[in-house]
Amino acid sequence: MQVQRLYVRMFDVDWNEYRGPVPISIAEIDGQWPDSVDFVPVVFITNKTMLRADSSQVAELAEKIKQKVWRRKPEGISELQLDCDWSAGTRQKYFQLVRHMREICKPARISVTLRLHQYKHPNKTGVPPADRAVLMYYNMSDVNSPETKNSILDNDEAEKYLKGTNKYPLKLDVALPLFSWGVVFRYNKFLVLLNDFNNAQAQNTDFLRQRDETHFTFLKDTVWRNIFFRQGDIIRVEETDYKSVEKAAQLTRSIGDTDTMHVIFYHLDENLLQNYTYEKLENIYNIYR
């Protein structure tokens, strides 16, 4: 598809009670990135980190993030993306972090992620002092609730946030979901999230019985994916399909300038892309052209 840009999650930053902000879940990346691909490192920062950190620690955190990213790829970084679902209690410190990153990472740009409620209410949530933002068009409702139908993608719910909004103050990109997962409940309470799990896999798993279109029941106690499950536990399978992603593209095509907007598919995975042909992905891209 002649894609020339990859967003690569490098590591997360979480809060440690003894050490303060620390990197966790560090990506293992082998080999060299080809010069033909624009490489955008992404760092996820937990809201807890920004809540617990002192204002005096923010500048130090910015320096540590930069050093760790640039150590992995010392040249050719044109953009660094910060992913944080900031809140009213962390907005000031997070925006301070963005300003520091923007200053010390020049000439690289700093982009930030944006949730639907932050896009809808910039006057309430604030606008990060970044070069641009990417609207994360997924994870739209409470994944922990048994009443949720599909927390990954719900265009009807998202449309409520998109209608009647003014143009966002930053240049916008958009990220669309291609991924799936299984949400497990025990006694009607959230138990665990199973990444990279879909309906077809559930139907081919002998210890699961289908209850309805999206729910499956464990038929016996079993250890699976290094997790112990009990008979009667329920899995809700959440996934996207071409039609729903196509509608998502139609709903978001006018949120920004299509001449400068990057359209991002989350995420890049060999098995996942078997569900989306080249033609289907190209059709979605064409909606923005």
Side-chain angles (χ1 to χ4, degrees), residues 8-288:
V8 183
R9 181 196 145 281
M10 302 295 286
F11 55 89
D12 300 346
V13 178
D14 199 6
W15 181 262
N16 181 283
E17 295 298 334
Y18 303 100
R19 299 166 56 195
V22 294
I24 63 170
S25 303
I26 301 169
E28 296 181 8
I29 301 174
D30 297 325
Q32 298 295 319
W33 291 103
D35 293 335
S36 59
V37 177
D38 189 10
F39 166 86
V40 181
V42 181
V43 177
F44 175 76
I45 305 168
T46 65
N47 195 49
K48 181 173 69 173
T49 298
M50 302 313 306
L51 189 64
R52 301 287 183 85
D54 295 330
S55 296
S56 60
Q57 293 177 291
V58 172
E60 181 183 1
L61 176 59
E63 289 287 351
K64 287 183 176 180
I65 290 174
K66 181 193 174 182
Q67 290 173 12
K68 193 166 188 63
V69 170
W70 261 255
R71 194 180 304 134
R72 305 296 292 274
K73 192 178 190 302
E75 296 179 358
I77 296 178
S78 61
E79 179 181 332
L80 169 65
Q81 187 169 105
L82 300 177
D83 182 7
C84 180
D85 188 8
W86 78 88
S87 62
T90 60
R91 180 176 69 184
Q92 183 176 352
K93 283 183 284 188
Y94 177 59
F95 286 10
Q96 182 184 351
L97 176 69
V98 174
R99 278 191 290 269
H100 276 297
M101 295 297 300
R102 197 176 181 189
E103 183 62 33
I104 65 177
C105 292
K106 290 179 178 179
R109 299 182 299 274
I110 300 297
S111 62
V112 295
T113 56
L114 201 64
R115 275 61 179 177
L116 280 165
H117 71 98
Q118 295 161 344
Y119 168 81
K120 174 76 171 179
H121 304 290
N123 293 332
K124 292 181 180 179
T125 63
V127 178
D131 293 292
R132 61 191 305 123
V134 53
L135 178 62
M136 314 297 276
Y137 194 84
Y138 48 83
N139 296 2
M140 297 177 174
S141 51
D142 185 6
V143 69
N144 297 334
S145 172
E147 307 303 320
T148 297
K149 293 182 179 179
N150 189 334
S151 66
I152 295 176
L153 180 58
D154 185 337
N155 283 309
D156 292 336
E157 181 66 21
E159 201 167 2
K160 299 174 186 176
Y161 291 90
L162 298 177
K163 281 188 174 180
T165 56
N166 297 320
K167 185 176 181 180
Y168 197 76
L170 296 178
K171 286 186 177 297
L172 280 183
D173 302 321
V174 62
L176 303 175
L178 303 183
F179 65 96
S180 62
W181 57 32
V183 190
V184 184
F185 294 90
R186 178 174 297 164
Y187 304 129
N188 227 28
K189 293 185 179 180
F190 173 79
L191 179 65
V192 69
L193 193 68
L194 302 175
N195 285 314
D196 301 319
F197 188 71
N198 59 38
N199 197 286
Q201 290 172 292
Q203 292 186 18
N204 290 316
T205 303
D206 58 9
F207 51 79
L208 295 177
R209 182 179 64 199
Q210 189 163 6
R211 296 179 56 188
D212 56 35
E213 188 176 352
T214 59
H215 291 82
F216 296 79
T217 304
F218 280 84
L219 297 176
K220 60 181 181 179
D221 293 356
T222 186
V223 176
W224 179 47
R225 295 194 177 192
N226 296 319
I227 303 169
F228 174 71
F229 297 98
R230 291 180 180 173
Q231 180 181 354
D233 288 348
I234 304 295
I235 294 183
R236 181 179 70 225
V237 178
E238 299 183 356
E239 55 190 346
T240 63
D241 56 32
Y242 170 68
K243 286 297 182 183
S244 61
V245 178
E246 182 185 43
K247 183 176 180 181
Q250 292 166 347
L251 290 172
T252 57
R253 68 179 304 276
S254 60
I255 65 169
D257 185 350
T258 54
D259 290 337
T260 60
M261 182 187 294
H262 296 113
V263 179
I264 305 163
F265 289 131
Y266 182 78
H267 58 263
L268 179 60
D269 177 88
E270 182 178 1
N271 294 326
L272 185 152
L273 290 179
Q274 291 178 2
N275 299 325
Y276 292 89
T277 63
Y278 165 83
E279 289 79 14
K280 287 180 177 180
L281 294 177
E282 187 67 20
N283 288 342
I284 293 170
Y285 273 134
N286 285 336
I287 291 173
Y288 294 91

